[in-house]
Amino acid sequence: MTDRDNRIGVLVVDDHAVVRRGLRAYLEVVDGIDVIAEAGDGQEALDRIARLTTERRAPEVVLMDLVMPRMDGIAATREIARRHPEVRVVVLTSFGEVERVQTALQAGAAGYLLKDAEPEEVMQAIFAAARGEVHLDAAVTRRLTRQMVSRDVGLSALTPRERDILALVAQGRSNQQIAEQLVISERTARTHVSHVLSKLNLSSRTQAALVAIREGLVPPPGAD
């Protein structure tokens, strides 16, 4: 958070100017958040992140629409995760179908909200993403959980160490942080995470976090 007094830098990406302006108007009065730029599509978002990075003002969080011209939000999220892994993407869209949510999470999104979300929830998702956590719309979480229950994803296939890894993933820890906590190499931590996802037949860390919450390994977000 360079030169922003510890405020979270946010890039707002949406092809509708009125949506961008509305989000900016709300977020600019929120303590701890600094809207540093806007973009009208995924390609413009990538260009802005690249420029801001050279100026040492890269955003910590991108609020990303999905359906946009030139480059859509899924493709942009995938490229941001590849080129700028330190930047977290929170999807803000009108579409809540499970398949679309899963595609966004697989692309690297750290959060998924619907556009009827309350402003406070958008703010919470931004702060959660900046902390390395995941924030999903409640309706989206229910749909994903129902699908995982129907697939009967359980923990019986995991070793005790893999259960520990799953719990840390659910807490939003990176591979490096997992390695430091368990006193193992980052490569070993990455291998453990891959094995956990494979054994549980999951495609993203967010899905793994939902399984950990459902199975009681970690409390749900916001629980005391």
Side-chain angles (χ1 to χ4, degrees):
M1 304 179 198
T2 306
D3 300 328
R4 283 197 292 264
D5 301 324
N6 293 323
R7 289 176 293 167
I8 299 167
V10 174
L11 170 64
V12 177
V13 186
D14 196 291
D15 60 329
H16 293 97
V18 66
V19 174
R20 297 196 304 271
R21 290 167 186 162
L23 286 168
R24 177 185 280 272
Y26 168 69
L27 294 174
E28 282 184 339
V29 300
V30 176
D31 289 338
I33 292 178
D34 180 19
V35 179
I36 58 176
E38 301 175 13
D41 59 60
Q43 184 59 58
E44 186 180 359
L46 289 172
D47 294 342
R48 289 202 180 279
I49 293 172
R51 178 177 58 79
L52 290 166
T53 298
T54 64
E55 298 172 357
R56 300 180 59 82
R57 297 194 302 126
E60 281 78 39
V61 178
V62 176
L63 275 182
M64 180 75 73
D65 189 20
L66 288 187
V67 180
M68 297 179 290
R70 285 210 300 170
M71 179 183 288
D72 65 23
I74 296 294
T77 297
R78 188 175 293 112
E79 283 302 301
I80 291 171
R82 184 178 69 84
R83 302 183 196 180
H84 308 281
E86 73 284 357
V87 178
R88 309 277 284 177
V89 175
V90 174
V91 170
L92 182 62
T93 181
S94 302
F95 303 97
E97 299 91 341
V98 168
E99 293 77 10
R100 202 181 292 258
V101 176
Q102 289 178 327
T103 301
L105 297 178
Q106 290 166 9
Y112 198 106
L113 296 176
L114 301 181
K115 283 187 175 177
D116 61 359
E118 293 294 330
E120 174 118 359
E121 187 171 11
V122 177
M123 177 189 72
Q124 290 172 354
I126 291 171
F127 283 120
R131 292 193 301 267
E133 300 171 2
V134 173
H135 187 104
L136 300 179
D137 181 273
V140 166
T141 300
R142 286 193 296 272
R143 292 169 193 165
L144 287 175
T145 301
R146 279 199 301 268
Q147 185 183 73
M148 286 188 293
V149 169
S150 70
R151 286 158 50 183
D152 195 27
V153 176
L155 304 185
S156 59
L158 301 185
T159 66
R161 171 50 62 92
E162 287 169 342
R163 289 182 180 228
D164 293 340
I165 295 285
L166 177 59
L168 292 171
V169 168
Q171 293 166 16
R173 306 294 177 83
S174 66
N175 290 339
Q176 181 178 352
Q177 290 170 326
I178 291 172
E180 291 172 354
Q181 180 154 341
L182 298 181
V183 195
I184 57 178
S185 70
E186 185 173 355
R187 181 177 180 180
T188 299
R190 185 167 57 249
T191 299
H192 278 311
V193 171
S194 178
H195 286 168
V196 167
L197 295 179
S198 177
K199 286 184 175 182
L200 296 179
N201 193 28
L202 304 174
S203 58
S204 74
R205 296 169 82 101
T206 301
Q207 291 178 333
L210 290 172
V211 170
I213 292 169
R214 191 193 76 198
E215 298 291 338
L217 286 183
V218 296
D224 292 332

